[in-house]
Amino acid sequence: MRNDVQDRSKFNIPPKSLLIVNKLRTKPVVDAIAALLSYLKEQHPEVRVFHEERSDRPEGVDPWTPGMVFKGPESEKIDLVVTLGGDGTILHASSLFKSGEVPPVLSFSMGTLGFLLPFHIDDFVKAIESAFAGNATVLHRMRLSCSFQRKDGSDKDMDPWQVMNEVTLHRGANPHLITIDIYVDDQHLTEAVANGIIVSTPTGSTAYSLSAGGPIVHPSLSALVLTPICPRSLSFRPLVFPSSSTVVLKVSDRSRAEAGLSMDGQVSYMLGPGEAVTVQASLYPVPCINRSSIAEPDVTREGVPPGKEDDWVRDINNLLQYNATFRSKALLRHSRT
């Protein structure tokens, strides 16, 4: 894993190609895409704009499919991904790049709150111009690489999945607890009897893992977070491993049922007794453009210059109300009136 988790953006300045990824095309999304395309056409006509190949692709935008091979020079590959939606839209954008490097991602909120949404769509002009000028920094958010093994230990015939939040082995609709053997770097850690096991990235530590009692981990760290879901043993606590570790979750031969496997809450497989999933750090993180790196001096915290404020610190206070007492919450509500 790379150590320079936060640095200046590496994409072409200005980008020569741009991919739009959006959630379902409600009227606000349709209007936002229209405004964005109009602006790009007027101010940056040299930028080639792509959209996923699907039925709601906007007019005048080139179709794009994962793994698409461009005809022409190397510079015609996607230089920048722009997402419009919520955190789930960013997870979907990440899933489109299952192999190789992921282009920098510029994320716009359509009104929802999320840890991966640094910009509101109303600010798209300032954000795009700053990014195009090379004034933005990116945070390289770690991903997980997940491969699958049969009962005899051989790999299943499928490419490894690249996961941004978490991989979860769970009991699914089965009423019984499942039994999972957990290995870390080829050493047997424990036999878990639980509703399931989560292996998350630092980015995913504020998602499902947090709801299951896992720790909050700063996204600039490279680590694997192991969190049990309703374990039978009260001494089974969450663990954090270095990114160099390899974690194997194997459905025990003594498990009473198959286990469901979901990745970023979107993909689901069934693993039978003896089958396993191997989880390790991916070589290809997701470079997300920071809000604070292009903020105006008067919108950052006192004493913190633009580009130095930590988006994550702001988010755990604003979104999670971290360590907020009843009194401080009341004062916060009063200050907003």
Side-chain angles (χ1 to χ4, degrees), residues 97-119:
F97 298 89
K98 291 184 173 63
S99 61
E101 294 186 1
V102 183
V105 178
L106 181 59
S107 305
F108 293 102
S109 166
M110 295 300 302
T112 57
L113 297 176
F115 278 89
L116 304 178
L117 301 172
F119 304 99

Side-chain angles (χ1 to χ4, degrees), residues 115-160:
F115 278 89
L116 304 178
L117 301 172
F119 304 99
H120 191 275
I121 189 60
D122 292 344
D123 301 324
F124 80 84
V125 172
K126 181 173 65 175
I128 285 179
E129 289 305 317
S130 296
F132 277 32
N135 295 328
T137 60
V138 295
L139 173 66
H140 294 274
R141 291 182 177 268
M142 172 186 167
R143 292 199 294 179
L144 301 174
S145 177
C146 305
S147 58
F148 316 97
Q149 290 75 44
R150 301 183 181 90
K151 189 171 183 177
D152 62 6
S154 61
D155 289 334
K156 291 192 174 185
D157 298 327
M158 60 178 67
D159 293 331

Side-chain angles (χ1 to χ4, degrees), residues 301-332:
R301 289 184 299 128
E302 183 179 356
V304 182
K308 299 299 183 181
E309 184 186 38
D310 194 327
D311 290 353
W312 179 83
V313 171
R314 182 194 66 242
D315 288 342
I316 65 168
N317 279 285
N318 292 345
L319 300 181
L320 289 183
Q321 295 293 301
Y322 179 70
N323 197 35
T325 64
F326 290 110
R327 185 172 186 273
S328 62
K329 287 181 180 179
L331 289 175
L332 180 63

Side-chain angles (χ1 to χ4, degrees), residues 219-247:
S220 67
L221 298 177
S222 295
L224 282 71
V225 182
L226 179 74
T227 307
I229 306 172
C230 299
R232 185 174 66 182
S233 171
L234 296 180
S235 63
F236 189 3
R237 311 311 303 162
L239 296 172
V240 179
F241 298 101
S243 61
S244 58
S245 296
T246 298
V247 176

Side-chain angles (χ1 to χ4, degrees), residues 44-282:
H44 301 280
E46 72 285 355
V47 177
R48 188 177 180 189
V49 181
F50 294 87
H51 190 278
E52 285 184 88
E53 177 62 287
R54 63 190 204 193
S55 59
D56 62 351
R57 176 167 55 89
E59 293 185 8
V61 176
D62 294 324
W64 182 88
T65 56
M68 180 175 175
V69 177
F70 289 87
K71 297 180 180 179
E74 184 76 12
S75 61
E76 290 186 1
K77 291 185 177 180
I78 299 298
D79 291 327
L80 179 67
V81 177
V82 173
T83 69
L84 294 86
D87 282 357
T89 307
I90 303 174
L91 297 181
H92 175 64
S94 169
S95 71
L96 298 176
F97 298 89
K98 291 184 173 63
S99 61
E101 294 186 1
V102 183
V105 178
L106 181 59
S107 305
F108 293 102
S109 166
M110 295 300 302
T112 57
L113 297 176
F115 278 89
L116 304 178
L117 301 172
F119 304 99
H120 191 275
I121 189 60
D122 292 344
D123 301 324
F124 80 84
V125 172
K126 181 173 65 175
I128 285 179
E129 289 305 317
S130 296
F132 277 32
N135 295 328
T137 60
V138 295
L139 173 66
H140 294 274
R141 291 182 177 268
M142 172 186 167
R143 292 199 294 179
L144 301 174
S145 177
C146 305
S147 58
F148 316 97
Q149 290 75 44
R150 301 183 181 90
K151 189 171 183 177
D152 62 6
S154 61
D155 289 334
K156 291 192 174 185
D157 298 327
M158 60 178 67
D159 293 331
W161 277 86
Q162 305 294 314
V163 178
M164 189 174 181
N165 261 6
E166 75 278 308
V167 54
T168 306
L169 197 61
H170 55 86
R171 71 177 189 175
N174 193 292
H176 303 294
L177 300 177
I178 55 176
T179 304
I180 304 170
D181 285 311
I182 305 174
Y183 298 84
V184 178
D185 295 333
D186 296 325
Q187 299 183 74
H188 186 259
L189 175 67
T190 189
E191 179 187 74
V193 181
N195 280 357
I197 299 292
I198 302 168
V199 181
S200 78
T201 63
T203 293
S205 71
T206 53
Y208 192 4
S209 175
L210 181 62
S211 297
I216 300 175
V217 183
H218 196 287
S220 67
L221 298 177
S222 295
L224 282 71
V225 182
L226 179 74
T227 307
I229 306 172
C230 299
R232 185 174 66 182
S233 171
L234 296 180
S235 63
F236 189 3
R237 311 311 303 162
L239 296 172
V240 179
F241 298 101
S243 61
S244 58
S245 296
T246 298
V247 176
V248 176
L249 305 179
K250 182 178 180 180
V251 182
S252 173
D253 291 329
R254 301 195 298 112
S255 185
R256 300 177 64 181
E258 292 183 320
L261 179 71
S262 61
M263 290 164 283
D264 281 348
Q266 298 179 358
V267 182
S268 183
Y269 295 103
M270 297 302 296
L271 296 183
E275 296 184 319
V277 55
T278 298
V279 185
Q280 55 191 343
S282 171

Side-chain angles (χ1 to χ4, degrees), residues 14-32:
K16 294 181 172 59
S17 58
L18 181 151
L19 173 66
I20 295 176
V21 179
N22 59 271
K23 66 177 185 179
L24 295 177
R25 283 170 61 85
T26 59
K27 187 177 186 306
V29 174
V30 172
D31 293 343

